Amino acid sequence: MDTSQIKQKLESDEYGFLRKDQNLGSNIILLALGGSHAYGMDKEGSDIDIRGIAINSKNDILSGNDFMQVADTDTDTTIYSFNKMVKLLASNNPNTIEILGCKPGHYLYLSAAGRELLENRKIFLSKLCIHTFAGYADSQLRRMENKAARLTGQEQNEQHILKSINNASYDFKNKYFPYDESSIKLYIGQAVTEGYNSEIFMDICLKHYPLRDWAGMWNEMKAITSSYNKIGKRNEKAVSHNKLGKHMAHLIRLYMMCIDILEKEEIITYREKEHNLLMDIRNGKYLDSNRQPVKEFYDLLNEYEKRFEYAKNNTSLPDVPDYKKIEEFKIYINEKVVTGGWDLCMH
C-alpha cells in the first residue's frame, strides 16, 4: 500500500476519531507513518502505524491542562499533544524523536506549525541520545538473546547487566537526590556466589540520603538484573512467530540512527542506504536452521558498537539540549494558538 492509498484510508470511518476527537481534528499539526514503513523495513502485510502531534487547545494552554496523547489500538495510531511531545523530544526518546526524521513522502499531513517543528528539530539533539538509544538497544538486544534461548557465557552476561545499569544510572541525577558519583561504585570481580565465575559487586557510601530515592534507584537496578533471567510470554511469542529477525534488524537500526545523530546531527528515520542489509537481517539471513542468531550477526553488531563508541567520543553535540531555545519555541507555538495565529484547518 503506497502513501496515497494510506492517505485515502485515513479518510475512512476507521480513522474517524482523527476528525471527531475533541483534542484532534483541526488541532493536528503532523501525521506520519511509523513503525516498519517509516524505517523502510515493511513487508507485504506489514501493519500501518500512524504517529502524530496535535497542538494543545487554547483552553488547555491557559488552564495548564494537557491531554497528553490519544491512542487508538485498533488502527495502531498514537497522537501526542504538542506539549508532551516537546518533553519527549528534549529527552531524545528514540521512539518519538524519529518522527522528526521521516522520509518527506511519509508525512501524511503537515500544517504550518508542523513544518516549523521539523525546521527546528536540531534544537532537541544532544548527547542524551547516547544513553537513550544505546541503553534501549543494549537492553533489548540482551532480551533478544533470551528470546533466542542463546546461552551467553555467565561472565559476558554480567558485563551486559552492568552496562545496562550504567546506561540507566545516567539519568539518576535528574530523578533522585544528588550524590557524589564516587559514593556508588559497581564493578565486576571474582564471584563469591556459587555457580558463578564472576559477578557484579558494589561499594556504597551514602550518608543522610533520602531512603525513598535510594529505594527508587535500587528498584531500577533490580529490575534490570531480573530482566536478564527471564523469558517472558512476549519473548516466547516472538520465537514461536519467527519474529527474531525483525527484532535483530530494529536493534541494528537503532545504532544506525544514533550514529547519524552523533556524527551528522541529523535524524534519519528512513534507512534507504542500509535497506538491503536490514531486510536481510529481518528476513532471517543471520539466523541458523534452529532460528538462532549466527556469529556473523554478532560480528556486525560489534562493528556498529565500535562505530557508536567512536561517534560518542567525537561528537560536537552539547551534553544536553538547548532548553532555553526549546522553551522559547514551545511558547512561540502556544502563543500563536492563544492569539489565533494559526490557520487550524486539517486538509
Side-chain angles (χ1 to χ4, degrees):
M1 186 180 294
D2 59 30
T3 51
S4 61
Q5 292 173 310
I6 294 174
K7 285 182 179 180
Q8 289 181 352
K9 190 174 178 67
L10 294 184
E11 299 297 325
S12 68
D13 291 340
E14 186 180 11
Y15 288 88
F17 65 92
L18 291 175
R19 294 170 289 279
K20 297 175 183 177
D21 189 286
Q22 62 177 355
N23 295 305
L24 305 182
S26 61
N27 290 333
I28 294 176
I29 63 172
L30 182 155
L31 287 177
L33 285 174
S36 296
H37 285 84
Y39 313 131
M41 293 167 54
D42 56 295
K43 299 169 66 175
E44 186 69 31
S46 290
D47 293 336
I48 298 173
D49 300 310
I50 303 296
R51 298 292 177 264
I53 305 170
I55 52 177
N56 299 75
S57 68
K58 176 180 177 179
N59 287 343
D60 280 354
I61 293 169
L62 294 176
S63 65
N65 294 324
D66 192 342
F67 71 89
M68 306 296 279
Q69 66 187 57
V70 174
D72 183 80
T73 54
D74 291 337
T75 59
D76 289 324
T77 299
T78 303
I79 311 296
Y80 296 91
S81 74
F82 173 75
N83 286 345
K84 179 177 181 180
M85 178 58 82
V86 167
K87 291 181 181 178
L88 292 170
L89 294 176
S91 70
N92 283 218
N93 182 296
N95 291 327
T96 51
I97 204 165
E98 63 188 33
I99 203 171
L100 300 182
C102 293
K103 181 180 179 180
H106 285 175
Y107 288 106
L108 307 173
Y109 172 73
L110 265 182
S111 71
R115 284 192 292 272
E116 290 210 36
L117 176 62
L118 296 185
E119 289 168 1
N120 284 276
R121 59 187 175 273
K122 289 192 177 183
I123 66 175
F124 297 101
L125 301 182
S126 74
K127 290 180 182 177
L128 289 178
C129 72
I130 293 171
H131 306 279
T132 55
F133 274 81
Y136 182 74
D138 185 68
S139 62
Q140 292 301 308
L141 179 64
R142 308 316 162 191
R143 289 171 186 167
M144 182 210 74
E145 290 180 330
N146 280 343
K147 291 174 186 178
R150 177 183 183 271
L151 300 177
T152 58
Q154 187 269 317
E155 295 181 35
Q156 184 184 15
N157 198 48
E158 290 293 289
Q159 292 172 358
H160 294 329
I161 294 172
L162 182 58
K163 184 176 180 181
S164 292
I165 291 175
N166 286 337
N167 279 321
S169 65
Y170 181 81
D171 198 36
F172 283 0
K173 58 188 175 183
N174 298 321
K175 292 181 179 179
Y176 304 113
F177 192 78
Y179 61 90
D180 190 285
E181 290 187 6
S182 62
S183 299
I184 301 177
K185 181 182 178 184
L186 301 179
Y187 56 94
I188 294 175
Q190 185 174 353
V192 297
T193 302
E194 186 176 352
Y196 283 61
N197 296 318
S198 66
E199 63 181 312
I200 300 171
F201 291 89
M202 60 183 185
D203 294 339
I204 298 175
C205 181
L206 293 171
K207 294 182 179 181
H208 198 69
Y209 193 81
L211 175 63
R212 290 175 179 80
D213 284 48
W214 167 245
M217 289 190 286
W218 173 254
N219 285 331
E220 286 197 49
M221 292 187 284
K222 180 181 178 182
I224 291 170
T225 304
S226 299
S227 72
Y228 282 82
N229 300 320
K230 296 179 180 178
I231 301 180
K233 291 182 179 179
R234 186 174 181 181
N235 296 352
E236 293 171 350
K237 184 178 179 182
V239 174
S240 63
H241 287 74
N242 294 325
K243 291 185 177 180
L244 209 53
K246 180 179 179 180
H247 291 305
M248 293 160 63
H250 281 304
L251 289 165
I252 294 295
R253 175 192 58 79
L254 280 168
Y255 276 108
M256 291 174 174
M257 284 191 66
C258 192
I259 290 169
D260 283 336
I261 292 173
L262 293 170
E263 291 183 346
K264 305 174 184 178
E265 298 187 16
E266 292 182 8
I267 306 164
I268 305 176
T269 305
Y270 187 77
R271 309 308 306 184
E272 184 173 11
K273 292 182 179 179
E274 301 94 350
H275 174 267
N276 291 342
L277 170 62
L278 291 172
M279 291 306 292
D280 280 346
I281 298 172
R282 174 168 185 172
N283 291 330
K285 183 177 179 179
Y286 289 84
L287 293 171
D288 63 21
S289 58
N290 293 318
R291 307 299 293 174
Q292 307 298 300
V294 296
K295 177 181 179 298
E296 286 75 13
F297 173 75
Y298 289 97
D299 290 342
L300 180 66
L301 173 64
N302 184 54
E303 177 186 331
Y304 274 98
E305 286 179 335
K306 287 180 179 177
R307 287 181 57 187
F308 165 73
E309 287 295 321
Y310 179 83
K312 81 176 187 181
N313 291 327
N314 292 277
T315 185
S316 58
L317 284 175
D319 290 337
V320 295
D322 191 329
Y323 291 119
K324 183 179 179 182
K325 282 188 177 180
I326 292 172
E327 188 64 20
E328 287 173 350
F329 179 72
K330 178 182 172 183
I331 292 171
Y332 162 72
I333 294 292
N334 285 331
E335 186 176 40
K336 291 192 74 172
V337 174
V338 173
T339 59
W342 295 115
D343 176 19
L344 300 179
C345 182
M346 183 177 171
H347 311 293

